[in-house]
Amino acid sequence: MTETLVRIDGVTKRFLENGSPAVEALTTQIKSGQVTGLVGPDGAGKTTLLRLIAGLLLIDDGTLRVCGYDPKTHAAPLHRVVAYMPQRFGLYEDLSVIENLELYADLRSVIGTERDEAFARLLSFTGLEPFTGRLAGALSGGMKQKLGLACALIKRPRLLLLDEPSVGVDPLSRRELWRLVYELVDQDIGVVWSTAYLDEAERCASVLLLSEGKALYQGPPQALTRSLEGRTFLVRNISGERRAVLARALERPAVIDGVIQGRSVRLVIGKGGVAPTPGDIGAGLEAVVTVVSPRFEDAFMDLLGGGPRGRSPFAEAYAPREHPIDSVVEAQDLGRRFGTFTAAEGIHFRVKQGEIFSLIGPNGAGKSTIFKMLCGLLRPTSGTARVVGLDLAKAPSEARARLGYMAQKFSLYGDLSVRQNLEFFAGVYGLGGRQRRDALKRMVENFALGPHLDVDASTLPLGFKQRLALACAVMHNPDVLFLDEPTSGVDPRTRREFWSHINAMVANGVTVMVTTHFLDEAEYCDRTALVYRGRIIATGAPDDLKEQARGAGRSDPTLEDAFIALVQADDRESPV
């Protein structure tokens, strides 16, 4: 029988006395035996709400009851029935995987047979059995998330709070994560799942959509999605450049949102609006505009008022460039070993100027290793890496001066202000005098960093951290831009802003290499390579990879379907 686990009535939380509330006058309920999705843009109040429910923060106004307890007066019994997995890795990096599990088992008083069974189950699910002796700090981002979840589930809770648990986790692991969560739901456990992946929100029984601390929508995701019936369109058979078609479409008042979807362009039309014709947006004589079923992400963007408007300032910031070589980025039989472990082998591909080429694959597949070799941050054990015709082994400094790199984790200096980070990277790239001043001014204007110049980078909202990281990577006008999971954990609206800048750079001849676990994002790319066990097992346009997964009950496969089908096929052909 379903019961109400959390009752929230008029709850408000402020961090500054005269500031805007992080959560404002919120009223809602959370039930047992189902997954409640918590979605919203960066800074919407999702993490604050989870911490209030977990008893880690106290409300300022209103009433809050969690599993019958008032967090203000009954924190200890509440903590015995609520499990919380924070957004940031909250474990002990100088302890091994098994030592972290043992610590959390001790804290939860899990002993004897129950302890052994919990360890066996959780290690099997997360795939961490081979790594029990590895320090948590040495795990990949995805493996850290898995360890954090395992520690949260050491003891069976009544309520499980997950703050973006799938950030940095590959699609295979995400499906396994959902499988485990549904097992918990079948045991009548309530789950609150905060997420930036809106395809995950569609799997929830109910969603709470927050913006600026207020609830914009509460209820089944399907009901919100249905409200957009007849307002979502796909522009197919485009003969021109997809990114130019998207840019022109977004200039039309009726179009409130749009993204690249493989070889097509997906558009959302405002209420009462009319979809543009192919001629309106320069899609070519063969192009057609057809109605398609809406997605929850379309409804999310509509509820927030649509995507970012206007052209990216990078549309005019870069002078078009030409290179007298066929391949701007080239990997030739590239390989890297760490002792007896082979992280990558036989990697071969070429990327043309003005092309976006993505690497996708499971956690630990070797994507970041390949990236670091191509950026000159890691020396290959075998093979050759070239950027703009320069061999990174023979001319590393010259090659690195021609590229920009945005790391998987926020790689800037948190104790330095925004201004100091910009000035530091201007010096790293050798910018001086007027060139330096112009570059700094351009980055501040292009990314709207002016109000934050004296703020420490570590305290910026995630969306502004991404802006700052991209600004530092492109201020020297690179020919090639390497983006290692650049929008991990970023909400769809911020992601669209980010990609509007990338598309504008590419239109002017910048070449982009990107890794991502967000497979809808991989569809924005011209080509993608699927990396598995240190090898590339498939390469092609996103639509071509999806075509390989067609059949066997999949009439219209997603890129995630293709990802999983190709990995499983490789497992059958080359079992470990």
Side-chain angles (χ1 to χ4, degrees):
M1 179 179 176
T2 300
E3 63 174 320
T4 300
L5 295 178
V6 182
R7 296 181 185 274
I8 300 173
D9 187 10
V11 164
T12 295
K13 175 63 183 179
R14 295 181 179 86
F15 290 103
L16 297 175
E17 185 175 351
N18 297 320
S20 299
V23 174
E24 183 175 2
L26 180 64
T27 298
T28 191
Q29 296 182 356
I30 294 169
K31 304 288 187 179
S32 66
Q34 68 177 38
V35 181
T36 300
L38 187 58
V39 298
D42 295 323
K46 303 187 296 295
T47 296
T48 298
L49 179 58
L50 289 178
R51 290 176 178 173
L52 291 170
I53 295 171
L56 301 176
L57 295 173
L58 297 180
I59 64 173
D60 294 322
D61 298 299
T63 303
L64 173 62
R65 294 291 182 273
V66 182
C67 298
Y69 300 112
D70 182 342
K72 287 185 177 180
T73 57
H74 294 84
L78 181 147
H79 292 158
R80 286 194 287 268
V81 295
V82 175
Y84 173 55
M85 179 180 167
Q87 183 176 353
R88 295 180 180 177
F89 185 60
L91 305 179
Y92 294 88
E93 297 204 351
D94 55 350
L95 296 181
S96 68
V97 168
I98 195 65
E99 287 169 341
N100 269 286
L101 288 171
E102 288 171 345
L103 173 61
Y104 275 78
D106 290 341
L107 292 173
R108 290 280 186 168
S109 299
V110 178
I111 60 175
T113 303
E114 181 187 7
R115 184 187 190 107
D116 294 338
E117 291 176 351
F119 284 9
R121 173 174 53 84
L122 294 169
L123 289 171
S124 174
F125 159 68
T126 57
L128 292 173
E129 299 104 319
F131 309 101
T132 53
R134 181 175 295 185
L135 294 181
L139 297 174
S140 68
M143 292 170 74
K144 286 181 178 179
Q145 292 292 82
K146 293 176 185 179
L147 178 57
L149 179 64
C151 290
L153 294 173
I154 284 289
K155 194 172 183 68
R156 182 180 181 273
R158 291 179 64 191
L159 177 65
L160 175 62
L161 307 175
L162 302 174
D163 197 355
E164 301 198 12
S166 54
V167 169
V169 176
D170 65 77
L172 281 169
S173 298
R174 283 174 63 199
R175 288 198 177 186
E176 283 297 298
L177 177 58
W178 275 97
R179 181 190 60 79
L180 181 64
V181 165
Y182 280 128
E183 287 182 7
L184 297 173
V185 167
D186 290 341
Q187 300 171 36
D188 209 33
I189 293 172
V191 178
V192 181
W193 184 303
S194 170
T195 182
Y197 296 96
L198 296 190
D199 60 325
E200 291 185 339
E202 292 182 299
R203 304 181 189 184
C204 300
S206 178
V207 295
L208 172 60
L209 200 162
L210 296 177
S211 181
E212 298 180 344
K214 301 176 183 178
L216 296 186
Y217 175 79
Q218 300 180 59
Q222 295 80 9
L224 184 60
T225 302
R226 284 195 297 269
S227 69
L228 259 73
E229 290 287 354
R231 292 170 50 197
T232 51
F233 297 83
L234 206 62
V235 186
R236 295 186 169 96
N237 302 331
I238 296 171
S239 59
E241 169 53 51
R242 300 165 302 156
R243 298 181 186 96
V245 169
L246 174 61
R248 285 191 289 268
L250 290 175
E251 291 175 353
R252 304 188 67 83
V255 179
I256 62 171
D257 186 41
V259 293
I260 300 292
Q261 187 174 325
R263 295 190 178 96
S264 306
V265 171
R266 184 182 188 90
L267 302 176
V268 179
I269 307 303
K271 289 182 179 179
V274 177
T277 67
D280 292 334
I281 52 179
L285 296 176
E286 301 299 320
V288 293
V289 179
T290 57
V291 178
V292 292
S293 298
R295 304 183 299 198
F296 183 77
E297 183 168 315
D298 301 324
F300 174 94
M301 296 301 299
D302 178 60
L303 206 56
L304 292 180
R309 310 298 294 184
R311 302 181 71 192
S312 165
F314 285 93
E316 287 82 28
Y318 278 84
R321 63 199 72 196
E322 293 291 341
H323 296 296
I325 54 176
D326 294 331
S327 303
V328 178
V329 179
E330 183 178 357
Q332 188 171 19
D333 295 323
L334 205 58
R336 173 70 194 196
R337 292 187 298 276
F338 296 93
T340 60
F341 174 69
T342 300
E345 63 177 344
I347 303 301
H348 186 86
F349 58 79
R350 294 179 177 179
V351 184
K352 298 180 295 185
Q353 181 191 354
E355 187 177 19
I356 303 180
F357 188 92
S358 63
L359 299 178
I360 61 175
N363 295 118
K367 303 184 299 298
S368 292
T369 298
I370 296 169
F371 245 49
K372 289 176 181 177
M373 288 190 287
L374 289 167
C375 292
L377 299 175
L378 190 64
R379 193 174 186 86
T381 307
S382 59
T384 304
R386 290 188 177 88
V387 174
V388 200
L390 298 168
D391 188 329
L392 280 155
K394 298 177 180 178
S397 297
E398 294 91 330
R400 283 196 292 265
R402 305 285 292 275
L403 61 87
Y405 176 67
M406 185 172 165
Q408 182 175 353
K409 293 181 179 179
F410 183 63
S411 57
L412 306 181
Y413 293 91
D415 293 335
L416 297 183
S417 68
V418 170
R419 187 195 313 273
Q420 289 168 332
N421 269 286
L422 290 170
E423 290 176 345
F424 173 78
F425 278 89
V428 167
Y429 289 125
L431 303 180
R434 182 175 179 178
Q435 186 184 24
R436 179 193 186 102
R437 292 192 298 273
D438 289 347
L440 293 175
K441 180 181 178 182
R442 189 170 64 250
M443 291 303 103
V444 171
E445 292 175 350
N446 288 352
F447 291 102
L449 295 172
H452 306 278
L453 284 175
D454 296 319
V455 175
D456 283 354
S458 62
T459 65
L460 290 172
L462 180 58
F464 274 95
K465 285 183 178 178
Q466 299 299 90
R467 289 186 188 184
L468 177 58
L470 183 58
C472 290
V474 302
M475 69 165 58
H476 61 304
N477 196 11
D479 294 298
V480 184
L481 183 58
F482 287 83
L483 306 171
D484 197 358
E485 296 191 29
T487 60
S488 182
V490 173
D491 68 83
R493 202 171 196 279
T494 304
R495 188 180 298 123
R496 280 159 172 70
E497 176 192 314
F498 183 94
W499 276 93
S500 72
H501 299 321
I502 300 305
N503 288 337
M505 293 182 204
V506 168
N508 287 316
V510 177
T511 302
V512 176
M513 291 279 300
V514 60
T515 68
T516 182
H517 283 310
F518 187 78
L519 295 189
D520 281 359
E521 188 169 83
E523 296 214 44
Y524 305 166
C525 304
D526 298 294
R527 287 188 299 142
T528 191
L530 176 53
V531 184
Y532 186 46
R533 296 178 183 168
R535 300 171 291 112
I536 291 179
I537 63 172
T539 307
D543 282 353
D544 293 337
L545 296 186
K546 287 189 287 185
E547 191 63 33
Q548 295 183 42
R550 192 177 299 278
R554 300 189 193 94
S555 59
D556 187 20
T558 64
L559 192 55
E560 181 173 312
D561 292 330
F563 177 107
I564 292 171
L566 289 166
V567 167
Q568 290 175 340
D570 189 78
D571 280 337
R572 290 190 295 269
E573 295 172 5
S574 308
V576 177

